[in-house]
Every structure is written in structure tokens, then in C-alpha cells.
Amino acid sequence: MTKTKIYFIIINLFIANLLFSQNDITFSTQKKYTIAEVTIEGIKYLQHAPIIKVTGLKVGDIISIPGPEITYAIEKLWEQGLFSDVKILASKIENDNIYLVIKLLERPRLNTVTFEGIKKSEKDDLNELIDFKSQMQITENKKNI
């Protein structure tokens, strides 16, 4: 093939890509959607229903994307102090229905606390001071004690 034909094919592919990518979903302008489903991913120890309730997002609600409802939901999840990462994504959009996925990363949990090389009275004092309990979530504040 000649260079001209190769350039022609590349330009046509580029133009075709631009034409077909016009159907992509963009959130640059606000649009209203009805919540069709809210699911949770990434949770091992907590129940899904109470987490969804905390967000204030309910199936059937009409929300704006972008809009304050998603921001509010993320803020409410952060306020719980249970997660080290919070994301709310749209997994699917059909007509005016949106399917939301809340992706969460739980904070690490403590299994056991052991002290070596100290007396029992010192161990008791340390346990009282740090106040760690089994299966407690470890926050940055607890790490800094």
C-alpha cells in the first residue's frame, strides 16, 4: 500500500470513531434520572440495606446527574467513619433510568492485640490506654495512639 492509502484509511477510521462515539454518556450537562437500582460492592462485614439507607438514595427517586444527591450520599458515607474509599458510579443508564453502584472499601479490622516482653500490669495499663477491641475498625486516629 502506498502512504496515501494508509493515511486515507487512518483518517477514515478516526472520523468513524468520532461519529460513533457521539452516543457515549457524558455528565457535562445536568440531567434528571430515576433510580432503578442501588447496589453495594466491596463490603464484607456490614449489611447492605442500612448503608443504602444512610445515603438517602432510594429506588424510584428522581436525581440530577451531576447534582447534589450523589454528593450528599458520598458525604453521609464518609461521616460514618467506616470506609477508607467511597465511590458512587452509574453501572447502566436506560432511557431516564439509572442503575447506581456504591463501591466501598472497609477500613481494616483488628483481630488480636498481643504484647510481648512486658509485665501483666503493664499489659493491662496499655490495654486500658489504647482501648482496642477484637474486630474493631482501625482508623487513622487509632493508629496514632
Side-chain angles (χ1 to χ4, degrees):
M1 282 191 184
T2 66
K3 286 184 181 180
T4 310
K5 287 182 182 180
I6 293 173
Y7 289 131
F8 181 76
I9 291 171
I10 291 173
I11 290 172
N12 282 337
L13 289 173
F14 180 75
I15 292 172
N17 186 34
L18 285 176
L19 291 174
F20 288 112
S21 68
Q22 296 301 318
N23 293 331
D24 290 345
I25 298 167
T26 62
F27 296 119
S28 59
T29 58
Q30 195 174 53
K31 185 175 178 193
K32 295 204 179 285
Y33 294 97
T34 301
I35 299 175
E37 181 180 54
V38 180
T39 57
I40 304 275
E41 290 181 3
I43 294 299
K44 184 176 179 182
Y45 295 103
L46 303 171
Q47 295 179 356
H48 293 199
I51 295 170
I52 294 171
K53 188 170 180 86
V54 164
T55 67
L57 300 171
K58 297 183 296 263
V59 172
D61 283 355
I62 297 173
I63 62 171
S64 300
I65 304 288
E69 298 91 350
I70 298 297
T71 303
Y72 174 81
I74 290 172
E75 288 172 356
K76 285 305 200 182
L77 290 169
W78 277 117
E79 286 175 8
Q80 300 304 305
L82 301 172
F83 312 107
S84 59
D85 192 23
V86 176
K87 296 177 186 171
I88 299 180
L89 308 170
S91 64
K92 181 171 51 170
I93 295 178
E94 293 178 338
N95 301 322
D96 289 337
N97 293 323
I98 191 164
Y99 296 76
L100 298 175
V101 177
I102 301 171
K103 293 190 175 198
L104 302 169
L105 184 59
E106 287 182 277
R107 291 191 186 279
R109 292 180 179 266
L110 181 68
N111 284 334
T112 59
V113 176
T114 57
F115 299 102
E116 294 181 10
I118 61 173
K119 297 177 186 173
K120 183 178 180 337
S121 62
E122 292 172 336
K123 175 185 169 188
D124 293 340
D125 290 343
L126 283 174
N127 274 329
E128 186 178 318
L129 177 68
I130 60 176
D131 193 32
F132 281 153
K133 293 175 181 51
S134 182
Q135 293 305 311
M136 171 187 233
Q137 286 190 322
I138 303 302
T139 64
E140 291 302 315
N141 289 340
K142 282 291 186 183
K143 286 182 189 178
N144 293 329
I145 288 181

